Amino acid sequence: GQQVMQIPQYQHVQEGEDFTTYCNSSTTLSNIQWYKQRPGGHPVFLIQLVKSGEVKKQKRLTFQFGEAKKNSSLHITATQTTDVGTYFCAGASGYSTLTFGKGTMLLVSP
Amino acid sequence: DTEVTQTPKHLVMGMTNKKSLKCEQHMGHRAMYWYKQKAKKPPELMFVYSYEKLSINESVPSRFSPECPNSSLLNLHLHALQPEDSALYLCASSQGGGPGETGDTQYFGPGTRLTVL
């Protein structure tokens, strides 16, 4: 079955440093979605990437979808304490269900 | 309005109890989902309803019984649960057509934190 691997599992940065999490799928995806889950919260949709090579920005967050539509990344510039949480990627293939990566837990120290 | 509501927020139950979790959305979404999430793990899909019909059951034990009374409501009936079933139960909805369809993003509710004693 489809597998989505996400690294790193955990990252601790100082406020102001950059952060990147990476996702790799075992199969070509029709789209990839990113979610953020704050501690004690629920997953909140951030963005969906559909096109090969697509790059989207949301303020300090930059999302990329690989040319082969099998990998993606989320980069946060100049992290803030409000960025703390677990970031999940979730890949979709055809009309199948979303396959979630294991998530990257981000801790930001002031 | 992108809100999915879930009740109760917390539930403690014994192994012989019967309880129900409720989920509601008023976004006109045609697909609704139940997920189970253990601490520090990703959400794990349990059931998918599409147009009020059960379309996916991810081999979930029969002690979990989903129900979709109408397009806005989704229930999860619980009976004879085990302590290892303790988890955060998340409901989600999407516009319809399945997650492979562009734009069919899932909106999650706040979850019910279930403890089975």
Side-chain angles (χ1 to χ4, degrees):
Chain A
Q2 182 179 308
Q3 290 187 333
V4 175
M5 288 143 289
Q6 190 173 354
I7 57 168
Q9 274 190 290
Y10 172 84
Q11 187 149 12
H12 185 179
V13 301
Q14 293 293 315
E15 193 170 24
E17 292 182 337
D18 291 357
F19 160 77
T20 305
T21 172
Y22 302 89
C23 268
N24 280 289
S25 170
S26 57
T27 60
T28 302
L29 301 170
S30 56
N31 71 76
I32 193 159
Q33 302 176 25
W34 285 91
Y35 293 80
K36 176 183 178 181
Q37 186 170 16
R38 293 181 187 273
H42 60 280
V44 174
F45 172 74
L46 294 177
I47 208 157
Q48 181 181 219
L49 303 172
V50 178
K51 298 178 184 174
S52 169
E54 189 169 16
V55 177
K56 286 189 177 179
K57 292 191 175 186
Q58 289 180 351
K59 296 183 181 177
R60 295 178 293 103
L61 277 60
T62 301
F63 303 84
Q64 291 188 307
F65 201 10
E67 294 290 339
K69 299 182 73 172
K70 295 179 75 173
N71 61 287
S72 181
S73 65
L74 158 58
H75 179 82
I76 302 178
T77 304
T79 54
Q80 299 175 358
T81 54
T82 52
D83 295 325
V84 164
T86 299
Y87 292 84
F88 291 101
C89 62
S93 179
Y95 283 89
S96 67
T97 54
L98 283 179
T99 300
F100 280 82
K102 291 191 174 181
T104 296
M105 184 185 298
L106 172 64
L107 183 60
V108 181
S109 295
Chain B
D1 181 10
T2 56
E3 190 177 24
V4 176
T5 59
Q6 287 187 245
T7 56
K9 289 186 179 176
H10 300 274
L11 179 62
V12 179
M13 61 186 289
M15 290 190 283
T16 58
N17 292 157
K18 286 185 182 181
K19 296 285 185 185
S20 296
L21 309 185
K22 296 184 185 301
C23 174
E24 191 166 4
Q25 58 88 12
H26 293 289
M27 296 178 277
H29 288 177
R30 307 307 296 190
M32 296 186 77
Y33 309 76
W34 279 115
Y35 286 88
K36 173 183 177 180
Q37 187 178 30
K38 291 277 207 180
K40 299 187 180 181
K41 297 288 185 185
E44 180 183 327
L45 183 67
M46 300 173 73
F47 303 103
V48 181
Y49 272 83
S50 181
Y51 296 90
E52 300 170 45
K53 290 192 188 330
L54 183 64
S55 61
I56 294 177
N57 175 341
E58 292 285 0
S59 303
V60 179
S62 60
R63 57 186 184 268
F64 295 91
S65 175
E67 178 197 18
C68 189
N70 60 56
S71 59
S72 300
L73 293 173
L74 186 65
N75 298 322
L76 186 62
H77 302 297
L78 315 173
H79 174 54
L81 294 194
Q82 304 295 311
E84 59 264 30
D85 296 322
S86 298
L88 179 67
Y89 287 84
L90 295 160
C91 173
S93 69
S94 67
Q95 197 164 358
E101 186 175 284
T102 300
D104 197 36
T105 56
Q106 294 184 25
Y107 295 91
F108 285 84
T112 293
R113 197 161 294 280
L114 174 68
T115 302
V116 182
L117 301 176

